[in-house]
C-alpha cells in the first residue's frame, strides 16, 4: 500500500521588480539615467514553481505575465514601466546569494544586462542581542573565467538605497494582501496532489491533513497575523494624526476669527 507524505517548506517568496523607463531609441528601451540609477516603483508577487529550499525559479509564463503587468502599471501610474529584476528571501540563512542564485542572475542578464537581483535574509537574530534582523543585498553576476573556458559566475555588489515614505501605495497594499493568499494556495495545491494518489493509506491521509493544517497555521502566525497587527497600528497612528490635524485646523480657524 502506498503511503505518500508531503511536508511544508519554509516560508519564502519570489517577486519581480518594476521600474519606470524613459523611452529612448538609442538605448533600445533600456534607459537608466546618466548616473546609472534604477528606480524600483512596484513589485509583483509570484508563486514558486520549485519549492526546494535551494531553488528559486521563475517560469517563462511568469515572465510573460510580468510583462503584461508592466503594461497595466503603465496605465495605472501614468508612466512607462518595465521589468527591472527579481527578489527572493532567505529564511534563517545568510543574505548572500548561493551559487544557484548567481547562475540564475547570470541567465537573466543574458536577456537584459540591466537586470538586478535582491535578496532579503529574514527570521534571523543577532547572537549578542537576540533581536530579530532583516538584511538585504542587491547584486548582479559577473563571469571571472578567462575567455574560452567554462563560465564561473560570482556576485557583483550593486549599491542599494531605500527611500523612506510615509504612505503605503495601493500597489504595495495589494502585494501585501496577495502574499498570504499565494502561500496558502501553494500549500493547498501540494496537498491536493496527494489526494489524487491511489491506494493512499489512512495514516498517510491523516498525516497530510495534519501537515496542511500546521502549514496554514504557520502562515497565519508569521505572515497574516503580523501583517494585520502592523496595518492596525498604522491605522491607529493615522487616526491619531488626523485628530491632531483637526485640532490644529480648529485653532487656526479660531485665530482667524479673532483677528
Amino acid at each position: 500500500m502506498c503511503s505518500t507524505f508531503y511536508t511544508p517548506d519554509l516560508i519564502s517568496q519570489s517577486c519581480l521588480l518594476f521600474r519606470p523607463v524613459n523611452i529612448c531609441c538609442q538605448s533600445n528601451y533600456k534607459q537608466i539615467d546618466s548616473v546609472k540609477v534604477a528606480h524600483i516603483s512596484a513589485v509583483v508577487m509570484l508563486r514558486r514553481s520549485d519549492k526546494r529550499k535551494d531553488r528559486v525559479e521563475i517560469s517563462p509564463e511568469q515572465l510573460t505575465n510580468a510583462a503584461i503587468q508592466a503594461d497595466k502599471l503603465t496605465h495605472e501610474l501614468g508612466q512607462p514601466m518595465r521589468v527591472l529584476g527579481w527578489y527572493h528571501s532567505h529564511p534563517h540563512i545568510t543574505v548572500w546569494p548561493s551559487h544557484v542564485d548567481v547562475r540564475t542572475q547570470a541567465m537573466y542578464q543574458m536577456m537584459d544586462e540591466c537586470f538586478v537581483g535582491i535578496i532579503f535574509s529574514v527570521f534571523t537574530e543577532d547572537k549578542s542581542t537576540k533581536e530579530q534582523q532583516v538584511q538585504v543585498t542587491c547584486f548582479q553576476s559577473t563571469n571571472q573565467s578567462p575567455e574560452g573556458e567554462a563560465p564561473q559566475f560570482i556576485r557583483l555588489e550593486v549599491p542599494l538605497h531605500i527611500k523612506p515614505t510615509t504612505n503605503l501605495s495601493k500597489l504595495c497594499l495589494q502585494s501585501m494582501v496577495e502574499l498570504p493568499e499565494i502561500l496558502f494556495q501553494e500549500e493547498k495545491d501540494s496537498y491536493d496532489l496527494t489526494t489524487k494518489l491511489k491506494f493512499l493509506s489512512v495514516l498517510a491521509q491523516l498525516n497530510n491533513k495534519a501537515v496542511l493544517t500546521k502549514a496554514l497555521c504557520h502562515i497565519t502566525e508569521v505572515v497574516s497575523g503580523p501583517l494585520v497587527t502592523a496595518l492596525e497600528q498604522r491605522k491607529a497612528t493615522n487616526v491619531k494624526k488626523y485628530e491632531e490635524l483637526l485640532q490644529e485646523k480648529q485653532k487656526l480657524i479660531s485665530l482667524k476669527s479673532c483677528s
Side-chain angles (χ1 to χ4, degrees):
M1 184 172 291
C2 177
S3 297
T4 301
F5 300 86
Y6 100 91
T7 56
D9 191 12
L10 286 171
I11 290 181
S12 60
Q13 199 58 37
S14 58
C15 307
L16 286 170
L17 310 171
F18 294 89
R19 71 172 171 87
V21 55
N22 299 322
I23 304 303
C24 178
C25 296
Q26 294 180 349
S27 63
N28 193 24
Y29 299 98
K30 293 182 181 178
Q31 175 72 20
I32 293 181
D33 62 33
S34 57
V35 292
K36 295 186 177 180
V37 175
H39 304 275
I40 300 171
S41 300
V43 299
V44 58
M45 297 287 183
L46 300 178
R47 288 192 57 182
R48 292 169 290 181
S49 57
D50 190 334
K51 290 183 63 180
R52 286 177 291 176
K53 294 180 181 179
D54 62 343
R55 295 289 187 275
V56 178
E57 305 292 344
I58 298 176
S59 67
E61 292 79 11
Q62 288 175 322
L63 284 173
T64 301
N65 290 336
I68 296 173
Q69 181 69 14
D71 288 336
K72 292 181 180 178
L73 290 174
T74 295
H75 295 292
E76 291 180 17
L77 301 178
Q79 59 180 333
M81 301 289 291
R82 64 183 290 275
V83 179
L84 165 68
W86 65 304
Y87 86 75
H88 66 282
S89 58
H90 280 184
H92 302 291
I93 59 174
T94 178
V95 72
W96 307 121
S98 67
H99 66 283
V100 177
D101 294 332
V102 174
R103 287 203 305 267
T104 302
Q105 174 62 30
M107 179 189 68
Y108 291 138
Q109 285 175 218
M110 292 178 185
M111 297 183 291
D112 183 349
E113 62 182 10
C114 299
F115 220 77
V116 297
I118 293 179
I119 298 176
F120 287 89
S121 173
V122 294
F123 304 127
T124 57
E125 68 176 20
D126 185 276
K127 292 182 179 180
S128 59
T129 64
K130 302 299 182 181
E131 293 181 350
Q132 291 290 320
Q133 289 184 330
V134 176
Q135 296 177 309
V136 59
T137 185
C138 183
F139 71 101
Q140 284 194 314
S141 294
T142 182
N143 183 14
Q144 63 175 354
S145 297
E147 188 175 352
E149 295 186 11
Q152 292 186 351
F153 297 105
I154 61 172
R155 173 182 63 90
L156 179 65
E157 187 75 13
V158 176
L160 175 66
H161 302 278
I162 300 175
K163 183 179 179 181
T165 177
T166 57
N167 300 318
L168 281 177
S169 68
K170 179 182 177 182
L171 294 171
C172 183
L173 283 171
Q174 235 171 8
S175 296
M176 293 167 70
V177 171
E178 288 172 359
L179 179 56
E181 296 176 354
I182 291 173
L183 293 171
F184 166 80
Q185 197 58 51
E186 286 180 352
E187 296 298 341
K188 184 65 165 56
D189 289 348
S190 296
Y191 170 78
D192 288 343
L193 287 176
T194 67
T195 63
K196 298 177 182 178
L197 297 173
K198 296 181 180 179
F199 311 113
L200 197 64
S201 70
V202 175
L203 179 61
Q205 293 178 41
L206 291 173
N207 174 80
N208 291 341
K209 289 180 180 179
V211 170
L212 174 63
T213 301
K214 181 180 178 181
L216 298 184
C217 290
H218 184 55
I219 292 172
T220 302
E221 178 185 359
V222 302
V223 180
S224 302
L227 178 59
V228 171
T229 300
L231 291 176
E232 287 177 343
Q233 291 175 346
R234 192 176 185 91
K235 178 184 176 182
T237 300
N238 289 339
V239 169
K240 182 179 179 181
K241 186 176 181 180
Y242 172 73
E243 292 174 349
E244 290 174 351
L245 289 173
L246 281 180
Q247 292 176 3
E248 186 68 21
K249 177 183 176 182
Q250 292 301 323
K251 289 180 181 178
L252 293 173
I253 291 174
S254 299
L255 287 172
K256 183 178 180 180
S257 59
C258 291
S259 59

